[in-house]
């Protein structure tokens, strides 16, 4: 059927619009032309709230009763005059080109696409890490309604008011209410979201019979979920004055005064909280833009709240998004010289642009099962479903979470040789795109719509809470079961499992004897199988590979000053570089002598008393062996946490000693061998002998940008790059080893403090420039009261009369905030500059001061005189 097209003149632009008579809301037969008309008439109120904000389109081509989809990437037919804004993808690849609705013409063009709901981000394009407001999305569970949300909203307003924060409310146009807190300040998402979560949890603690802060629907009956997770840089919220597509008649998301909410609640009249387009337009013209303060009001989160958030982040470690497994876990289970599976060495984005892909692979291994995989955060989140996806409504199947797979795996079909992880034959049983209806992977709940070649409709994935055991349930209408022939046919080639196995086996056999690996295999570094042996259990029964080292000089088993990495602004790339994760812990040498095992710090001090479990594990090493590595404690996300390492004696957290180099083995000096050979001997000869807490620090031969993207996504401190032909140079920063940090931070010397509650208000820190100690920052963030008291106990024996900083006092205009003038210095207390602290910060200023600095932990493994201003190479 031909599309009926008309021309509109909008602000000097001629726009072609089509099918204006098409019914998009069957209740009241509300047509597409009426949708466009509403947005034109609401534009004066709507556009200021959309200006400079990327939006996600939510398109309903066949109206609210048909299928819909979210569209982030600007479609290929987007006119050149429509503004777009690129946002980097978390998993790498080309950026997402979001639409920005800044003018009426773009608004009308968007409405013509049947973009019924407009979902902007909380931030503007000028700063995508800084939300201009916080939002609390109140969502009623079964047995609750919009009036229940009104009751919770009023309580939430009072709680925020107690913190000195003004808030505004709007009805969502669906079941719920949203409460906005204007900010328009410098606060970033990583502070706003923990703040919102803490408020939601406090509301739950105060009213457990009315409020929940957990995403699980099972907990919501008769209650209201306060969804705090919307305060994220990758989430959008339905905009004010937007239409909603939740009912067969259109309603509008509209601001309400607190008095109106209270009156509707008192009268028990839910109809007061729903507005049709005409009613909404009349109200806008009568009362104006009640949400104007969201654009202009500047509010700061209370200082106590910011400190509590920073303290909690310090305890928990950096990177809340890092709960997904790294692709290193996938790679460590496979030898890519022997399997045609993709390695994921190159980053890849979806062929569907912003529409995420899924695949279900039928896998005939020791037991037939189906692997269910969703594209998410640059990888394929994966589950093993033994009985396959359910077809009947409310039917549930067990789904076991497995390691993340690379996006390249979405097309993999073939045979995996025996002995490789999983083994057997793999078929692309179904593939297509999916849309997230609601939920959050990290909360253990996903409600998705699949648009595949076999599977169509809605399913729910729900975790049991342990992260491994999930359940896959059909939530939409039942679908017809597949015939045996359909079940045994590839969705891309139509081949059966046997035909796939026969074809792949023939290809494999033809290549097996040659030097070239099968098609699709990415050559990886050697000795990868030994990494599997070096994983959690470290099976000692596995024989070590003994190298011939007879031609090397004899080694003296004694302390060796560790080789160091030079700071660099750019991670080097090329086949002659290998990459390791920058571990945030204590650098330590492990020595196995004829008499005992020893563990020495980077300055040669004994660590045996502190880390006895590691010393005991080193007893498994052959005599006259020296290993180099890092002692770390992993946080809840599996990231190294120096703050947790500092408190290991109090918490009992497990220690790990990650080895990354081998200096001597069985009395032979390996320092003159290339790094690549030292690593091979470490992996093949040392790692099969040792057990936890001694582990292998993984080394990657991969694309530099892929490794860097992984580090940033996981919230890691940085990456160490090592030239594969580099020798071990004790005590040197020759440039053969380079460190690239994903976040700024370095050690600083404490030279004084400003008195305050619990011992001090701020630490005064600096660095050495020759023999001069140079002041760099006042550190107020990163502390809790108990930590302040613990640090202050170290001050008594270090008090001195004179200021140790060579560049104090400062002029009054030296910095933002209070400068350390001669008058202010009278309030300070000075310390002998021997204490060293790890400090994180955003950047160095032109005056060599730290901006947005935060305390991480004290470091007693470094000398104060070693602390200099770290500058990139």
């Amino acid at each position: 059927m031909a599309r009926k097209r008309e021309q509109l003149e909008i602000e000097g632009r001629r726009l072609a619009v089509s099918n204006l008579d098409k019914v998009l809301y069957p209740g009241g037969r509300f047509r597409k032309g009426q949708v466009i008309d509403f947005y034109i008439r609401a534009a004066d109120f709507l556009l200021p709230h959309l200006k400079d904000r990327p939006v996600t389109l939510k398109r309903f081509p066949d109206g609210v009763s048909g299928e819909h989809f979210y569209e982030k990437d600007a479609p290929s037919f987007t006119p050149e005059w429509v503004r777009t804004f690129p946002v980097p993808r978390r998993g790498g690849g080309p950026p997402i080109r979001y639409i920005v609705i800044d003018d009426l013409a773009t608004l009308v063009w968007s409405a013509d696409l049947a973009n019924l709901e407009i979902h902007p981000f909380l931030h503007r394009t000028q700063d995508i890490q800084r939300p201009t407001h916080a939002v609390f999305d109140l969502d009623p569970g079964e047995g609750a309604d919009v009036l229940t949300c009104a009751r919770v909203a009023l309580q939430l307003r009072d709680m925020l008011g107690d913190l000195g924060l003004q808030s505004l409310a709007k009805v969502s146009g669906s079941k719920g209410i949203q409460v906005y807190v204007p900010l328009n300040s410098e606060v970033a998402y990583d502070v706003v979201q923990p703040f919102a979560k803490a408020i939601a949890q406090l509301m739950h603690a105060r009213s457990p019979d009315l409020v929940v802060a957990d995403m699980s629907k099972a907990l919501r009956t008769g209650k209201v979920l306060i969804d705090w997770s919307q305060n994220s840089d990758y989430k959008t919220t339905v905009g004010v004055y937007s239409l909603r597509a939740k009912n067969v008649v259109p309603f509008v998301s509209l601001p309400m005064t607190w008095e109106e909410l209270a009156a509707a609640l008192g009268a028990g009249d839910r109809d007061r909280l729903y507005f049709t387009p005409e009613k909404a337009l009349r109200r806008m013209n009568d009362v104006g833009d009640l949400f104007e303060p969201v654009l202009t009001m500047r509010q700061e989160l209370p200082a106590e709240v910011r400190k509590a958030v920073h303290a909690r982040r310090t305890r928990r470690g950096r990177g809340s998004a890092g709960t997904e497994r790294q692709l290193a876990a996938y790679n460590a289970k496979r030898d890519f010289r022997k399997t045609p599976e993709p390695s994921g060495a190159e980053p890849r984005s979806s062929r569907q642009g912003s529409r995420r892909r899924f695949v279900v692979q039928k896998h005939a291994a020791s037991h037939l099962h189906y692997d269910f995989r969703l594209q998410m955060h640059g990888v394929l989140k994966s589950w093993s479903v033994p009985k396959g996806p359910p077809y009947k409504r409310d039917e549930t199947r067990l789904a076991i979470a497995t390691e993340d797979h690379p996006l390249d795996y979405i097309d993999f079909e073939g045979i995996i040789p025996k002995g490789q992880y999983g083994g057997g034959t793999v078929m692309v049983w179904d593939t297509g795109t999916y849309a997230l209806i609601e939920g959050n992977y990290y909360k253990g709940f996903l409600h998705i719509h699949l648009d595949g070649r076999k599977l169509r409709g809605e399913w729910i994935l729900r975790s049991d809470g342990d992260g491994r055991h999930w359940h896959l349930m059909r939530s939409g209408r039942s679908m017809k079961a597949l015939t045996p022939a359909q079940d045994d046919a590839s969705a891309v080639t139509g081949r059966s499992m046997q035909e796939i196995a026969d074809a792949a086996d023939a290809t494999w056999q033809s290549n097996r004897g040659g030097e070239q690996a099968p098609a699709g295999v990415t050559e990886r570094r050697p000795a990868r199988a030994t990494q599997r042996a070096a994983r959690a259990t470290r099976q000692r029964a596995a024989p070590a590979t003994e190298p011939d080292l007879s031609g090397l000089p004899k080694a003296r088993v004694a302390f060796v000053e560790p080789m160091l990495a030079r700071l660099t602004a750019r991670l080097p790339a090329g086949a002659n570089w290998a990459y390791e994760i920058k571990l945030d812990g204590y650098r330590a040498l492990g020595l196995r002598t004829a008499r005992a095992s020893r563990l020495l710090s980077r300055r040669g001090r004994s660590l045996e008393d502190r880390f006895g479990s590691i010393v005991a594990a080193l007893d498994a090493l052959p005599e006259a062996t020296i290993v180099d590595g890092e002692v770390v404690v992993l946080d809840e996300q599996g990231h190294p946490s120096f703050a947790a390492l500092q408190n290991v004696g109090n918490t009992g957290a497990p220690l790990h000693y990650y080895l990354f180099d081998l200096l001597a083995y069985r009395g032979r000096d390996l320092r003159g061998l290339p790094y690549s050979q030292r690593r091979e001997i470490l992996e093949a000869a040392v790692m099969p002998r040792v057990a936890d807490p001694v582990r292998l620090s993984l080394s990657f031969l991969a694309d530099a940008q892929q490794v860097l993207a992984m580090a940033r996504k996981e919230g890691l401190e940085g990456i160490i790059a090592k030239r594969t032909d580099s020798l071990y140079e004790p005590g040197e920063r020759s440039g053969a080893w380079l460190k690239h940090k994903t976040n700024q931070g370095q050690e600083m010397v404490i030279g004084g403090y400003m008195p305050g509650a619990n011992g001090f208000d701020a630490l005064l820190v600096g660095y050495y420039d020759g023999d001069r100690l140079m002041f760099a920052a006042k550190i107020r963030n990163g502390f809790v009261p108990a930590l302040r008291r613990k640090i202050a106990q170290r001050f008594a024996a270090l008090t001195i009369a004179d200021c140790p900083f060579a560049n104090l006092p400062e002029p009054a205009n030296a910095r933002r905030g209070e400068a350390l003038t001669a008058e202010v210095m009278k309030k300070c207390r000075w310390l002998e500059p021997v204490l060293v602290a790890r400090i994180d910060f955003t950047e160095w200023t032109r005056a060599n001061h730290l901006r947005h600095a935060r305390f991480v932990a004290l470091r007693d493994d470094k000398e104060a005189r070693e602390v200099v201003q770290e500058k990139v190479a």
Side-chain angles (χ1 to χ4, degrees), residues 842-860:
T842 57
E843 63 179 347
W844 287 95
T845 68
R846 291 182 178 179
N848 282 337
H849 292 153
L850 305 183
R851 181 165 287 144
H852 301 306
R854 180 177 66 88
F855 177 86
V856 177
L858 290 177
R859 297 207 66 139
D860 56 10

Side-chain angles (χ1 to χ4, degrees), residues 498-556:
Q498 188 60 52
E499 289 170 335
I500 293 169
D502 291 344
D505 188 58
T507 302
W508 177 256
Q509 293 295 340
S510 66
N511 288 327
R512 193 172 183 180
E515 292 295 327
Q516 185 178 358
V521 176
T522 301
E523 185 66 26
R524 302 284 295 182
R525 57 179 281 103
R528 187 62 63 186
T530 61
Q531 291 192 12
R532 296 196 299 275
R535 290 178 65 81
T537 57
R538 309 282 191 225
Q539 297 179 2
R540 296 194 185 187
T545 301
E546 289 298 332
D548 181 8
L549 305 176
S550 57
L552 295 179
K554 292 184 178 180
R556 179 172 173 264

Side-chain angles (χ1 to χ4, degrees), residues 279-294:
K279 185 178 176 182
L281 288 166
R282 289 196 299 271
R283 176 181 169 82
M284 292 181 219
N285 291 324
D286 289 342
V287 303
D289 183 9
L290 294 178
F291 247 39
E292 192 275 338
V294 174

Side-chain angles (χ1 to χ4, degrees), residues 242-277:
S242 170
L243 291 173
R244 297 308 305 273
K246 297 291 188 179
N247 299 281
V248 294
V249 296
F251 292 113
V252 180
S253 181
L254 208 65
M256 300 286 292
T257 67
W258 291 113
E259 293 74 18
E260 289 172 322
L261 277 185
L265 179 61
D269 186 357
R270 62 191 301 273
D271 291 339
R272 297 189 189 185
L273 304 180
Y274 288 91
F275 297 85
T276 63

